[in-house]
Amino acid sequence: AAARAALAPRRRPAPASLWYTTVAAPYLDRTNATAVHAALRLGREVPAYDALGSVRSALGALRAGLGGADPALVVASDLRTGRPGSADEAAGGDGAAALLVGAGTKRSPVLAGQTAWGTATEELLDRWRRPGESFTQVWEERFAENRYRALAADAWADAGAAEADVDRVVVVGANARVASAAAKQLGVEASDVTVTLDSTVGNTGAAHPALALATLLEEAEPDQTIALVVLADGADVMLWRTTDALAAYRPARPVGKQLDGAPLAYG
């Protein structure tokens, strides 16, 4: 559904490749992306690839899509589970997002161009799930918080974000407390931080970075520098510069309207 919305306007170019990413893959030992490929009725000449197993795989898929010369469709989805009564069960959400990336055309101009990508990687056993297990194991939050604050600062510096005069920032991670602490570590003004949808949709795992970026683009204005910070097995900081085309951009299914039309209640 997210991929169809991304390709809805006929003026948008057809993707030359498809990348699908999730932590909750329905199949192993076969390509899951081919199911999305078939649902979209893409041509046989369009390759479809998986990037599975971890939240950070979503960043790998996006980086691969951006690295090609032709348009790529990057689709991320996830189903989040948690032990009964756990923070994961309360804070998790199911969702999907799709991004069409690549060089724009006159009829379908680029909304935001990537200007920098900073990264910091570290072996950090804060969340894990062995094959066959239903629930994720979680390390003590305070230890993860300390490490991610340092990693976020390193990635922020690597991207040159301090010198970029960033207008809007969104920080996403597996834990809202860790993401909030990292935002403070970066010295970002509270008024410039975009809500991550954790309190409405919930944390959607592998889908959360793309979902947060889509929300950020809906709120941004032309000629602004926006930053997406993702904390997962390290830190990634992506800087984007919005274009004048953003003023006329009308998403097929705005995130805000989807939330207004689908209230959820738990008893």
Side-chain angles (χ1 to χ4, degrees):
R4 285 179 177 141
L7 299 177
R10 293 185 178 276
R11 65 180 182 275
R12 294 182 184 173
S17 62
L18 168 67
W19 295 84
Y20 174 61
T21 178
T22 184
V23 174
Y27 297 107
L28 298 176
D29 208 15
R30 64 147 292 175
T31 304
N32 296 270
T34 54
V36 181
H37 184 285
L40 297 176
R41 298 186 178 180
L42 298 178
R44 295 178 67 182
E45 74 281 0
V46 179
Y49 302 106
D50 284 346
L52 307 176
S54 68
V55 171
R56 207 179 195 193
S57 295
L59 280 300
L62 179 57
R63 196 157 193 164
L66 288 167
D70 299 315
L73 181 63
V74 182
V75 185
S77 69
D78 221 336
L79 301 173
R80 306 304 290 173
T81 60
R83 294 185 181 280
S86 69
D88 275 0
E89 183 190 41
D94 303 334
L99 302 172
L100 184 63
V101 300
T105 64
K106 186 175 181 180
R107 298 183 62 192
S108 181
V110 171
L111 300 179
Q114 184 201 344
T115 60
W117 191 315
T119 185
T121 299
E122 181 175 306
E123 167 66 0
L124 181 63
L125 197 65
D126 63 322
R127 305 179 65 84
W128 68 95
R129 177 163 53 87
R130 296 183 179 89
E133 292 182 339
S134 300
F135 304 119
T136 297
Q137 306 293 323
V138 183
W139 194 30
E140 178 65 38
E141 283 184 6
R142 56 195 175 94
F143 297 120
E145 179 180 332
N146 291 335
R147 295 307 311 138
Y148 276 121
R149 288 174 61 182
L151 289 164
D154 288 346
W156 187 261
D158 188 40
E163 297 79 27
D165 193 20
V166 175
D167 296 290
R168 301 291 297 172
V169 180
V170 61
V171 183
V172 299
N175 181 283
R177 169 179 161 179
V178 172
S180 178
K184 294 178 180 178
Q185 174 75 19
L186 301 178
V188 178
E189 294 290 338
S191 59
D192 294 336
V193 179
T194 295
V195 176
T196 63
L197 304 177
D198 284 8
S199 61
T200 51
V201 179
N203 191 295
T204 56
H208 221 55
L211 183 61
L213 181 57
T215 305
L216 195 58
L217 287 172
E218 290 181 11
E219 297 180 357
E221 299 176 359
D223 201 29
Q224 285 189 328
T225 296
I226 59 178
L228 172 63
V229 181
V230 182
L231 308 177
D233 303 321
D236 289 271
V237 175
M238 287 147 280
L239 299 185
W240 308 78
R241 188 70 181 177
T242 59
T243 69
D244 292 339
L246 189 63
Y249 171 58
R250 299 294 181 270
R253 299 183 64 197
V255 176
K257 286 189 177 181
Q258 290 188 56
L259 294 176
D260 291 341
L264 299 178
Y266 294 91

